[in-house]
Amino acid sequence: MASTRPVPWVSPLLCLAVLAGGAYYALVDAGPSFRLTAFAALLLLLIGIDAVERHIPAAVLLLTRTGLYVAVNTLDDSGIARALFVLVPFTAYFTFGRRTAIVLGTACVAALPVLFTLRVPGWQTRAEHVSDVVMFALGIVLAITMAAVAVREREARVRLEGIMHEVEALSAAQERNRLAREIHDSLGHHLTAIAVQLEKADAFADLDPSGAREAVGNARWSADRALTEVRQSVRTLGQRPFRLTDALTDLIDHLDGLTISLDVTGEEEGRPLTSLTALYRAAQEALTNACRHSGATNVRLSLAYQDTGATLTIADNGQGFPLHKAPAGIGLRGMRDRIALLDGSLDLASGPTGTTISIRVPW
């Protein structure tokens, strides 16, 4: 089947131009005639073929068009109709490729001098005929060039659409990963904190009612905080300016079972929100792991704001673990991924006396 041309308007537009020019010449020269009627009918037939070209086999379509171009030229006394032959290599380019188009274009250019030799003796010395050959050759070259540009533009558009689909898929995957990290780092931490606080409240309900009530209050705070963060992540609600130091202080105040200290140096004002959020999520994950796995009783957080970036160090006195058996869960991996997206670094050290995580993010 014939391929769909990127510029389908070229052929019918040229046919209409030839019809207008040839008809004007015929009317001025000899008036209405059967030749003029046949000339116009063949051109209109060519335009009709353009409308149904996709339903005609490519080779048949090319031969049919070429035969009609020859027929139109035999009925045309003005010489305007020979411009139709530029459509032979032009349309062939889209179906048969560049080489075939060049061969057909060369044949068309060569045919005109042969025709002049047979019908116009001494045409080589007549400027108008030599000019006709040169202009016809130039038209063929421009037609092939235009076809090449159209094909490349179509191929580029197809490639661009493919790239856009890939970008869309990658963006969707990246967004899924982001949401997974947010859910794990935020909900995972708060659910762990709630579980710890409720266990404490249950254990001390009779022995220390005030401590149990405090634990329930902290669990309620963690639940409220988790709900707020879910709304902010999923619905992207407006929120008050985020301050990492205040968020860490608030987080520490509502964690029981650990003695946590926070040491801050430098100025936080004006720092990128993405970097500050990444540090906060890392601190959440580290404290969750300390509560859940390490058996630590003391955790020390050191946060340093510098001109080029920030450094966060979380050190606990838990039992640690061999580095070659580092936990493979989503928590540590998500922490590394989040920091890597900011071109930051994460160093992990662990042993019998505790675990230390050092995180560096640039601004």
Side-chain angles (χ1 to χ4, degrees), residues 123-160:
W123 69 269
Q124 299 90 341
T125 60
R126 299 182 182 181
E128 64 272 18
H129 291 87
V130 174
S131 176
D132 286 345
V133 173
V134 173
M135 295 304 295
F136 183 69
L138 180 60
I140 292 289
V141 171
L142 291 177
I144 294 176
T145 302
M146 182 178 177
V149 171
V151 168
R152 290 176 183 173
E153 188 275 336
R154 180 175 61 180
E155 292 173 349
R157 185 169 62 251
V158 170
R159 287 196 299 270
L160 179 61

Tab-separated table of all heavy atoms in Angstrom, residues 123-160:
chain	number	residue	atom	x	y	z
A	123	TRP	N	17.842	23.384	-30.333
A	123	TRP	CA	17.396	23.990	-29.065
A	123	TRP	C	18.560	24.404	-28.178
A	123	TRP	O	18.416	25.279	-27.321
A	123	TRP	CB	16.484	23.010	-28.321
A	123	TRP	CG	17.213	21.783	-27.794
A	123	TRP	CD1	17.385	20.612	-28.439
A	123	TRP	CD2	17.861	21.663	-26.525
A	123	TRP	NE1	18.102	19.727	-27.688
A	123	TRP	CE2	18.405	20.364	-26.478
A	123	TRP	CE3	18.039	22.508	-25.427
A	123	TRP	CZ2	19.123	19.887	-25.387
A	123	TRP	CZ3	18.736	22.050	-24.330
A	123	TRP	CH2	19.278	20.751	-24.303
A	124	GLN	N	19.722	23.751	-28.389
A	124	GLN	CA	20.874	24.048	-27.530
A	124	GLN	C	21.351	25.500	-27.674
A	124	GLN	O	22.051	26.016	-26.800
A	124	GLN	CB	22.037	23.105	-27.871
A	124	GLN	CG	21.734	21.633	-27.659
A	124	GLN	CD	21.150	20.963	-28.885
A	124	GLN	OE1	20.642	21.642	-29.796
A	124	GLN	NE2	21.200	19.629	-28.928
A	125	THR	N	20.969	26.122	-28.748
A	125	THR	CA	21.404	27.513	-28.967
A	125	THR	C	20.318	28.522	-28.610
A	125	THR	O	20.509	29.721	-28.808
A	125	THR	CB	21.796	27.698	-30.447
A	125	THR	OG1	20.655	27.415	-31.284
A	125	THR	CG2	22.950	26.771	-30.803
A	126	ARG	N	19.210	28.041	-28.117
A	126	ARG	CA	18.105	28.942	-27.757
A	126	ARG	C	18.052	29.103	-26.237
A	126	ARG	O	17.906	28.126	-25.501
A	126	ARG	CB	16.781	28.399	-28.271
A	126	ARG	CG	16.739	28.249	-29.779
A	126	ARG	CD	15.389	27.763	-30.232
A	126	ARG	NE	15.334	27.560	-31.683
A	126	ARG	CZ	14.260	27.150	-32.352
A	126	ARG	NH1	13.124	26.918	-31.679
A	126	ARG	NH2	14.297	26.997	-33.656
A	127	ALA	N	18.159	30.336	-25.819
A	127	ALA	CA	18.264	30.612	-24.384
A	127	ALA	C	17.046	30.137	-23.613
A	127	ALA	O	17.156	29.611	-22.490
A	127	ALA	CB	18.472	32.105	-24.154
A	128	GLU	N	15.829	30.278	-24.220
A	128	GLU	CA	14.639	29.916	-23.471
A	128	GLU	C	14.574	28.410	-23.214
A	128	GLU	O	14.122	27.963	-22.155
A	128	GLU	CB	13.372	30.372	-24.192
A	128	GLU	CG	13.111	29.722	-25.540
A	128	GLU	CD	13.786	30.453	-26.700
A	128	GLU	OE1	14.715	31.246	-26.415
A	128	GLU	OE2	13.362	30.246	-27.856
A	129	HIS	N	15.061	27.611	-24.164
A	129	HIS	CA	15.031	26.169	-23.974
A	129	HIS	C	16.118	25.704	-23.004
A	129	HIS	O	15.887	24.816	-22.173
A	129	HIS	CB	15.166	25.444	-25.323
A	129	HIS	CG	13.968	25.600	-26.201
A	129	HIS	ND1	13.806	26.658	-27.069
A	129	HIS	CD2	12.848	24.838	-26.329
A	129	HIS	CE1	12.653	26.547	-27.706
A	129	HIS	NE2	12.041	25.441	-27.282
A	130	VAL	N	17.282	26.286	-23.128
A	130	VAL	CA	18.347	25.961	-22.170
A	130	VAL	C	17.906	26.355	-20.765
A	130	VAL	O	18.128	25.621	-19.790
A	130	VAL	CB	19.657	26.675	-22.549
A	130	VAL	CG1	20.723	26.456	-21.472
A	130	VAL	CG2	20.164	26.182	-23.903
A	131	SER	N	17.261	27.528	-20.656
A	131	SER	CA	16.755	27.965	-19.356
A	131	SER	C	15.702	27.007	-18.824
A	131	SER	O	15.654	26.719	-17.625
A	131	SER	CB	16.170	29.372	-19.482
A	131	SER	OG	15.587	29.788	-18.266
A	132	ASP	N	14.841	26.483	-19.734
A	132	ASP	CA	13.826	25.514	-19.302
A	132	ASP	C	14.477	24.275	-18.703
A	132	ASP	O	14.026	23.748	-17.679
A	132	ASP	CB	12.939	25.123	-20.486
A	132	ASP	CG	11.957	26.218	-20.872
A	132	ASP	OD1	11.774	27.146	-20.060
A	132	ASP	OD2	11.395	26.139	-21.980
A	133	VAL	N	15.532	23.779	-19.338
A	133	VAL	CA	16.220	22.585	-18.829
A	133	VAL	C	16.845	22.858	-17.468
A	133	VAL	O	16.730	22.056	-16.533
A	133	VAL	CB	17.297	22.113	-19.835
A	133	VAL	CG1	18.137	20.984	-19.229
A	133	VAL	CG2	16.649	21.656	-21.122
A	134	VAL	N	17.507	24.020	-17.339
A	134	VAL	CA	18.160	24.353	-16.064
A	134	VAL	C	17.130	24.510	-14.950
A	134	VAL	O	17.294	23.980	-13.842
A	134	VAL	CB	18.995	25.640	-16.220
A	134	VAL	CG1	19.529	26.090	-14.856
A	134	VAL	CG2	20.150	25.412	-17.176
A	135	MET	N	16.038	25.222	-15.239
A	135	MET	CA	15.029	25.435	-14.211
A	135	MET	C	14.318	24.131	-13.843
A	135	MET	O	13.979	23.902	-12.679
A	135	MET	CB	14.000	26.468	-14.701
A	135	MET	CG	14.575	27.864	-14.905
A	135	MET	SD	15.381	28.516	-13.408
A	135	MET	CE	13.964	28.648	-12.314
A	136	PHE	N	14.119	23.272	-14.865
A	136	PHE	CA	13.484	21.984	-14.581
A	136	PHE	C	14.387	21.135	-13.682
A	136	PHE	O	13.921	20.501	-12.722
A	136	PHE	CB	13.188	21.253	-15.889
A	136	PHE	CG	12.476	19.947	-15.702
A	136	PHE	CD1	11.163	19.903	-15.259
A	136	PHE	CD2	13.120	18.750	-15.966
A	136	PHE	CE1	10.498	18.696	-15.076
A	136	PHE	CE2	12.471	17.538	-15.791
A	136	PHE	CZ	11.165	17.505	-15.348
A	137	ALA	N	15.683	21.119	-13.998
A	137	ALA	CA	16.634	20.373	-13.159
A	137	ALA	C	16.664	20.933	-11.742
A	137	ALA	O	16.703	20.178	-10.755
A	137	ALA	CB	18.034	20.422	-13.779
A	138	LEU	N	16.625	22.258	-11.642
A	138	LEU	CA	16.601	22.875	-10.313
A	138	LEU	C	15.341	22.497	-9.564
A	138	LEU	O	15.374	22.216	-8.353
A	138	LEU	CB	16.706	24.396	-10.455
A	138	LEU	CG	16.707	25.202	-9.141
A	138	LEU	CD1	17.884	24.796	-8.268
A	138	LEU	CD2	16.746	26.704	-9.427
A	139	GLY	N	14.200	22.447	-10.255
A	139	GLY	CA	12.948	22.044	-9.616
A	139	GLY	C	12.998	20.620	-9.105
A	139	GLY	O	12.504	20.314	-8.012
A	140	ILE	N	13.622	19.726	-9.888
A	140	ILE	CA	13.768	18.334	-9.449
A	140	ILE	C	14.616	18.257	-8.182
A	140	ILE	O	14.280	17.548	-7.213
A	140	ILE	CB	14.394	17.481	-10.570
A	140	ILE	CG1	13.413	17.344	-11.747
A	140	ILE	CG2	14.813	16.122	-10.045
A	140	ILE	CD1	12.221	16.476	-11.468
A	141	VAL	N	15.727	18.992	-8.176
A	141	VAL	CA	16.612	18.985	-7.005
A	141	VAL	C	15.885	19.512	-5.772
A	141	VAL	O	15.965	18.940	-4.675
A	141	VAL	CB	17.884	19.817	-7.281
A	141	VAL	CG1	18.699	19.997	-6.002
A	141	VAL	CG2	18.735	19.152	-8.354
A	142	LEU	N	15.147	20.599	-5.948
A	142	LEU	CA	14.411	21.170	-4.813
A	142	LEU	C	13.320	20.221	-4.327
A	142	LEU	O	13.071	20.129	-3.117
A	142	LEU	CB	13.803	22.509	-5.215
A	142	LEU	CG	14.791	23.652	-5.457
A	142	LEU	CD1	14.062	24.909	-5.931
A	142	LEU	CD2	15.590	23.948	-4.191
A	143	ALA	N	12.674	19.515	-5.258
A	143	ALA	CA	11.621	18.576	-4.860
A	143	ALA	C	12.205	17.440	-4.028
A	143	ALA	O	11.636	17.050	-2.989
A	143	ALA	CB	10.918	18.027	-6.099
A	144	ILE	N	13.336	16.880	-4.470
A	144	ILE	CA	13.967	15.791	-3.706
A	144	ILE	C	14.433	16.294	-2.351
A	144	ILE	O	14.283	15.611	-1.324
A	144	ILE	CB	15.139	15.198	-4.510
A	144	ILE	CG1	14.616	14.520	-5.777
A	144	ILE	CG2	15.934	14.210	-3.668
A	144	ILE	CD1	15.710	13.994	-6.693
A	145	THR	N	14.983	17.510	-2.334
A	145	THR	CA	15.439	18.090	-1.059
A	145	THR	C	14.272	18.300	-0.107
A	145	THR	O	14.359	17.991	1.094
A	145	THR	CB	16.146	19.427	-1.318
A	145	THR	OG1	17.241	19.225	-2.211
A	145	THR	CG2	16.657	20.017	-0.003
A	146	MET	N	13.169	18.816	-0.622
A	146	MET	CA	11.987	19.032	0.212
A	146	MET	C	11.460	17.711	0.761
A	146	MET	O	11.066	17.623	1.934
A	146	MET	CB	10.904	19.735	-0.597
A	146	MET	CG	9.648	20.060	0.184
A	146	MET	SD	8.436	20.941	-0.810
A	146	MET	CE	7.080	21.066	0.378
A	147	ALA	N	11.467	16.668	-0.093
A	147	ALA	CA	11.017	15.357	0.375
A	147	ALA	C	11.929	14.830	1.475
A	147	ALA	O	11.459	14.263	2.463
A	147	ALA	CB	10.974	14.380	-0.797
A	148	ALA	N	13.241	15.007	1.300
A	148	ALA	CA	14.186	14.542	2.322
A	148	ALA	C	13.959	15.260	3.647
A	148	ALA	O	13.967	14.640	4.723
A	148	ALA	CB	15.624	14.756	1.847
A	149	VAL	N	13.743	16.568	3.578
A	149	VAL	CA	13.483	17.339	4.804
A	149	VAL	C	12.197	16.871	5.468
A	149	VAL	O	12.131	16.710	6.699
A	149	VAL	CB	13.422	18.840	4.475
A	149	VAL	CG1	12.939	19.637	5.689
A	149	VAL	CG2	14.784	19.343	4.025
A	150	ALA	N	11.160	16.629	4.664
A	150	ALA	CA	9.882	16.185	5.227
A	150	ALA	C	10.015	14.822	5.894
A	150	ALA	O	9.463	14.584	6.972
A	150	ALA	CB	8.821	16.137	4.127
A	151	VAL	N	10.767	13.909	5.245
A	151	VAL	CA	10.950	12.581	5.831
A	151	VAL	C	11.733	12.668	7.141
A	151	VAL	O	11.376	12.028	8.141
A	151	VAL	CB	11.670	11.655	4.828
A	151	VAL	CG1	12.141	10.377	5.518
A	151	VAL	CG2	10.735	11.307	3.683
A	152	ARG	N	12.771	13.460	7.150
A	152	ARG	CA	13.567	13.591	8.383
A	152	ARG	C	12.749	14.236	9.498
A	152	ARG	O	12.872	13.867	10.661
A	152	ARG	CB	14.824	14.413	8.098
A	152	ARG	CG	15.832	13.672	7.222
A	152	ARG	CD	17.024	14.533	6.871
A	152	ARG	NE	17.947	13.824	5.984
A	152	ARG	CZ	19.004	14.377	5.416
A	152	ARG	NH1	19.266	15.666	5.629
A	152	ARG	NH2	19.783	13.666	4.628
A	153	GLU	N	11.927	15.208	9.119
A	153	GLU	CA	11.074	15.838	10.141
A	153	GLU	C	10.087	14.827	10.709
A	153	GLU	O	9.835	14.799	11.914
A	153	GLU	CB	10.344	17.019	9.509
A	153	GLU	CG	9.569	17.895	10.496
A	153	GLU	CD	8.176	17.368	10.775
A	153	GLU	OE1	7.638	16.624	9.914
A	153	GLU	OE2	7.609	17.663	11.843
A	154	ARG	N	9.516	13.989	9.829
A	154	ARG	CA	8.585	12.973	10.305
A	154	ARG	C	9.292	11.964	11.210
A	154	ARG	O	8.779	11.588	12.272
A	154	ARG	CB	7.936	12.246	9.117
A	154	ARG	CG	6.944	11.172	9.525
A	154	ARG	CD	6.245	10.558	8.325
A	154	ARG	NE	7.178	9.907	7.418
A	154	ARG	CZ	6.811	9.302	6.297
A	154	ARG	NH1	5.538	9.300	5.931
A	154	ARG	NH2	7.705	8.730	5.518
A	155	GLU	N	10.499	11.529	10.808
A	155	GLU	CA	11.256	10.584	11.630
A	155	GLU	C	11.627	11.208	12.975
A	155	GLU	O	11.564	10.541	14.019
A	155	GLU	CB	12.514	10.148	10.890
A	155	GLU	CG	12.231	9.294	9.651
A	155	GLU	CD	13.481	9.025	8.837
A	155	GLU	OE1	14.517	9.685	9.122
A	155	GLU	OE2	13.437	8.165	7.943
A	156	ALA	N	12.001	12.494	12.943
A	156	ALA	CA	12.338	13.172	14.199
A	156	ALA	C	11.123	13.272	15.111
A	156	ALA	O	11.228	13.115	16.330
A	156	ALA	CB	12.895	14.571	13.901
A	157	ARG	N	9.951	13.520	14.505
A	157	ARG	CA	8.733	13.604	15.309
A	157	ARG	C	8.396	12.256	15.935
A	157	ARG	O	7.984	12.182	17.094
A	157	ARG	CB	7.570	14.096	14.447
A	157	ARG	CG	6.281	14.338	15.222
A	157	ARG	CD	5.250	15.067	14.413
A	157	ARG	NE	4.845	14.319	13.236
A	157	ARG	CZ	5.172	14.646	11.992
A	157	ARG	NH1	5.917	15.712	11.763
A	157	ARG	NH2	4.753	13.917	10.975
A	158	VAL	N	8.597	11.177	15.153
A	158	VAL	CA	8.338	9.840	15.695
A	158	VAL	C	9.299	9.532	16.838
A	158	VAL	O	8.897	9.004	17.885
A	158	VAL	CB	8.464	8.784	14.577
A	158	VAL	CG1	8.433	7.379	15.166
A	158	VAL	CG2	7.337	8.953	13.561
A	159	ARG	N	10.575	9.882	16.636
A	159	ARG	CA	11.556	9.661	17.713
A	159	ARG	C	11.202	10.488	18.946
A	159	ARG	O	11.325	10.016	20.087
A	159	ARG	CB	12.964	10.012	17.231
A	159	ARG	CG	13.560	8.999	16.259
A	159	ARG	CD	15.050	9.189	16.127
A	159	ARG	NE	15.380	10.508	15.606
A	159	ARG	CZ	15.512	10.793	14.320
A	159	ARG	NH1	15.332	9.837	13.421
A	159	ARG	NH2	15.822	12.010	13.914
A	160	LEU	N	10.769	11.733	18.704
A	160	LEU	CA	10.400	12.595	19.829
A	160	LEU	C	9.223	12.020	20.596
A	160	LEU	O	9.201	12.040	21.834
A	160	LEU	CB	10.070	13.996	19.323
A	160	LEU	CG	9.633	15.018	20.391
A	160	LEU	CD1	10.742	15.211	21.413
A	160	LEU	CD2	9.266	16.342	19.735
